[in-house]
């Protein structure tokens, strides 16, 4: 797994090198994913902008998170475009650290898929904010250089958007699931950073078991299977929400070496 080794992020990596069904692989330094970018050091910013040619940041956090955290270091870089596309309903002070609270506030969440609460939450992104999901994929495809997708932890909201992007590109499902699950190896660092933030710490005060937050391969397998069964696949769902064949082809060309 090509981790970026940033000082100010715990879950930043390049999704290049993943095998696609046509024999190609995903291009390196093209699609990056990360947890919160607020703690990036000057060296981190230089690495991303100069070495990775970062040109676009896709921020999946809620409006509350963005306003509470304030502008991060990359905001000062004029050549980097920032696109805010929350995949959570804009109700109250929602964060992905408060996933349990989302379930209790919205009874229909677990009804979507009672076998896996996180899969139920992911399906909610598609139901509640399809325009943000589609916008994120289109923004990745249109980026003149590398695009970086992030949320707070870089595992759930980011995991879904990256998984859908890779699926459109034709990446083998096993590789899509493995990329998602890789965030589990960084869960201690991810949670330590969230607990150090006034924005996220209150949501985590009574939930100190890091393993509870660890992404599991079975969750992404269930999510992709549900997308197939409910919507006849990611491409069909995307097409119904305005992401047409031209968009899909542009994203494939962007991501495949």
């Amino acid at each position: 797994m090509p981790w970026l080794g940033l000082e100010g992020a715990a879950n930043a990596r390049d999704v290049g090198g993943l095998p696609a069904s046509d024999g190609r692989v995903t291009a390196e330094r093209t699609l990056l994913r990360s947890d919160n970018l607020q703690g990036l050091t000057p060296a981190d910013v230089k690495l991303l902008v100069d070495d990775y040619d970062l040109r676009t940041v896709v921020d999946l956090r809620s409006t509350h998170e963005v306003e509470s955290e304030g502008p991060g270091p990359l905001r000062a870089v004029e050549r980097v475009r920032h696109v805010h596309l929350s995949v959570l309903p804009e109700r109250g002070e929602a964060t992905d650290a408060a996933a349990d609270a989302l379930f209790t506030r919205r009874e229909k969440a677990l009804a979507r898929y009672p076998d896996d609460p996180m899969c139920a939450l992911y399906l909610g992104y598609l139901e509640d904010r399809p325009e943000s999901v589609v916008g994120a994929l289109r923004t990745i495809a249109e980026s003149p250089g590398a695009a970086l997708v992030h949320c707070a932890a870089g595992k759930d909201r980011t995991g879904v958007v990256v998984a859908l992007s890779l699926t459109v590109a034709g990446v083998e499902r096993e590789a899509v699931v493995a990329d998602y699950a890789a965030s589990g190896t960084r869960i201690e660092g991810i949670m330590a950073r969230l607990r150090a933030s006034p924005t996220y710490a209150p949501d985590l005060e009574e939930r100190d078991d890091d393993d509870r937050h660890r992404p599991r391969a079975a969750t992404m397998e269930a999510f992709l299977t549900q997308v197939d069964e409910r919507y006849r696949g990611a491409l069909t769902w995307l097409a119904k929400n305005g992401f047409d064949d031209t968009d899909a082809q542009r994203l494939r060309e962007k991501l495949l070496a």
Side-chain angles (χ1 to χ4, degrees):
M1 188 60 60
W3 298 98
L4 300 186
L6 301 179
E7 298 174 49
N11 190 24
R13 60 187 184 271
D14 186 341
V15 299
L18 301 181
S21 57
D22 64 0
R24 291 185 288 174
V25 297
T26 50
E28 296 180 352
R29 300 173 184 252
T30 299
L31 178 57
L32 314 176
R33 56 179 294 170
S34 181
D35 52 333
N36 203 346
L37 304 176
Q38 300 300 119
L40 295 183
T41 66
D44 293 338
V45 172
K46 185 176 188 306
L47 177 70
L48 290 170
V49 175
D50 293 347
D51 293 359
Y52 282 85
D53 189 28
L54 178 63
R55 300 294 295 275
T56 306
V57 170
V58 180
D59 186 346
L60 303 176
R61 296 175 299 166
S62 68
T63 299
H64 164 68
E65 291 170 90
V66 172
E67 293 177 349
S68 177
E69 291 283 276
L74 277 171
R75 284 282 184 177
V77 182
E78 291 185 1
R79 67 181 290 188
V80 178
R81 177 191 180 207
H82 289 76
V83 181
H84 177 219
L85 295 164
S86 173
V87 297
L88 294 179
E90 293 290 314
R91 302 168 188 161
E93 300 181 351
T95 77
D96 68 352
D100 287 352
L102 287 175
F103 295 144
T104 59
R105 289 200 303 267
R106 297 168 61 233
E107 294 181 358
K108 69 177 184 179
L110 283 175
R112 293 188 188 106
Y113 192 73
D115 292 344
D116 188 325
M118 294 311 296
C119 178
L121 181 65
Y122 297 170
L123 291 169
Y125 301 161
L126 305 188
E127 292 181 15
D128 295 330
R129 300 304 299 270
E131 75 286 355
S132 290
V133 175
V134 167
L137 268 62
R138 187 172 285 129
T139 301
I140 293 167
E142 294 173 349
S143 179
L148 186 153
V149 181
H150 84 97
C151 52
K155 61 186 182 68
D156 299 313
R157 292 173 285 188
T158 296
V160 167
V161 166
V162 170
L164 290 174
S165 299
L166 295 176
T167 298
V168 171
V171 171
E172 296 176 3
R173 179 159 297 190
E174 183 178 353
V176 175
V177 172
D179 173 70
Y180 164 83
S183 293
T185 66
R186 298 295 180 99
I187 198 64
E188 289 79 12
I190 293 169
M191 300 311 297
R193 293 191 70 238
L194 292 176
R195 292 190 179 100
S197 165
T199 301
Y200 303 105
D203 293 328
L204 300 168
E205 286 178 353
E206 298 180 1
R207 300 189 295 141
D208 57 0
D209 180 6
D210 288 351
D211 193 59
R212 183 177 181 179
H213 301 273
R214 193 183 307 276
R216 306 179 190 283
T219 295
M220 181 52 64
E221 290 171 351
F223 171 72
L224 294 173
T225 297
Q226 287 299 303
V227 170
D228 288 343
E229 294 179 355
R230 294 171 185 235
Y231 306 113
R232 293 187 296 167
L235 285 170
T236 301
W237 180 85
L238 288 164
K240 288 182 178 178
N241 287 281
F243 194 84
D244 61 21
D245 290 343
T246 300
D247 292 316
Q249 183 58 31
R250 185 181 295 118
L251 183 58
R252 291 188 198 100
E253 292 173 355
K254 174 71 175 178
L255 295 185
L256 293 178

